[in-house]
Amino acid sequence: MRLRLPAERPTEPPTGYKIAHPVLSQDGTRAGFTGVSLGGALPYGVLDDASCVYGRRHRPPARLCDCGFHCVHDRAAAEAMLCTAEHRDAVLLEVSVLGAYIRFERGFRYARQRVRSAVAGPCGCGAGAVALADAGWGRPGWRALVPSCAGCLRGRTSVSLAGFARLAGEGLRVVAGGGGGAALPALPAADPASSASGAELGVPELVAEAALLQARLDWFQSQLARLGERGEQG
């Protein structure tokens, strides 16, 4: 006799939490995320379907496999994973669990998801992040990004938080967590009406954009000053 799992038919998609690394396509036109464990080799979009990382021809989440998207029920459990050294640069995601799913004690394994919001932690120096900058590693065709303050960009490939949200599309909201070890803020509700091309920026997003532009200007000025010094010495 084959045991069957109880079927659930929720009126609204369940909400879950997870951590991931933000990624930017090589040509800078697309943004997404990559997982921190089993599915880390397969970057995914804000709205995306899971695929089996083992290449098996079945639909995730298969009962006899561990494929599919993963998330936890409790936000605090996802935040706790950010404390480990290898995950300090990851961001906290709030997701909608779509399609078929299997419920576990601590979370879900499921077929399809929508990333509603992302919280970027502080820069490595402890200051609040205004951008996501090249982390120095990636996947084929994708650069991994880390939260960065304006002072630590130093000419690296980067995109502002609002800019990342626009590239990712699907109404994604990206906000900065507290610097200096402050607790991460509550995730804002996603705006389904916003899109990658038509989202209106608020004051925090405009301030972050201005700080990013100022940091780049400061970097260019420092490079020009160095070139001037070399010219005088030569």
Side-chain angles (χ1 to χ4, degrees):
M1 183 177 66
R2 187 175 180 180
L3 295 177
R4 297 180 63 89
L5 296 174
E8 296 185 26
R9 293 179 174 81
T11 57
E12 295 182 357
T15 295
Y17 302 92
K18 62 194 302 181
I19 64 173
H21 296 289
V23 292
L24 182 68
S25 64
Q26 183 178 359
D27 59 6
T29 62
R30 294 174 295 157
F33 301 94
T34 187
V36 298
S37 56
L38 180 66
L42 301 175
Y44 55 85
V46 171
L47 179 62
D48 215 337
D49 295 296
S51 58
C52 181
V53 296
Y54 304 110
R56 296 171 181 165
R57 296 182 179 179
H58 56 229
R59 291 184 178 181
R63 287 185 58 193
L64 300 181
C65 185
D66 52 6
C67 60
F69 290 122
H70 295 73
C71 71
V72 295
H73 301 303
D74 187 13
R75 176 191 169 97
E79 289 178 342
M81 290 187 281
L82 294 171
C83 294
T84 62
E86 63 270 27
H87 298 155
R88 288 289 178 94
D89 293 331
V91 298
L92 176 68
L93 305 182
E94 182 183 276
V95 302
S96 291
V97 176
L98 307 175
Y101 62 82
I102 299 175
R103 181 187 291 271
F104 296 94
E105 181 180 359
R106 297 190 60 189
F108 298 99
R109 182 160 62 88
Y110 50 102
R112 183 173 171 83
Q113 76 175 3
R114 179 188 295 274
V115 181
R116 302 200 316 238
S117 301
V119 175
C123 175
C125 71
V130 299
L132 297 170
D134 191 348
W137 63 274
R139 304 285 184 243
W142 295 89
R143 288 188 178 94
L145 306 176
V146 294
S148 177
C149 69
C152 292
L153 289 176
R154 299 175 184 171
R156 290 183 293 170
T157 298
S158 62
V159 60
S160 69
L161 303 184
F164 183 90
R166 288 196 300 272
L167 291 174
E170 299 291 344
L172 175 70
R173 292 295 304 273
V174 184
V175 297
L184 294 172
L187 287 166
D191 182 5
S194 64
S195 67
S197 59
E200 294 185 0
L201 301 182
V203 173
E205 289 84 0
L206 289 173
V207 171
E209 292 277 8
L212 179 60
L213 290 173
Q214 183 62 52
R216 287 174 174 167
L217 178 60
D218 292 342
W219 181 81
F220 280 118
Q221 288 177 337
S222 67
Q223 297 302 306
L224 288 173
R226 290 179 182 177
L227 289 175
E229 292 176 357
R230 290 177 183 176
E232 292 176 359
Q233 293 173 0

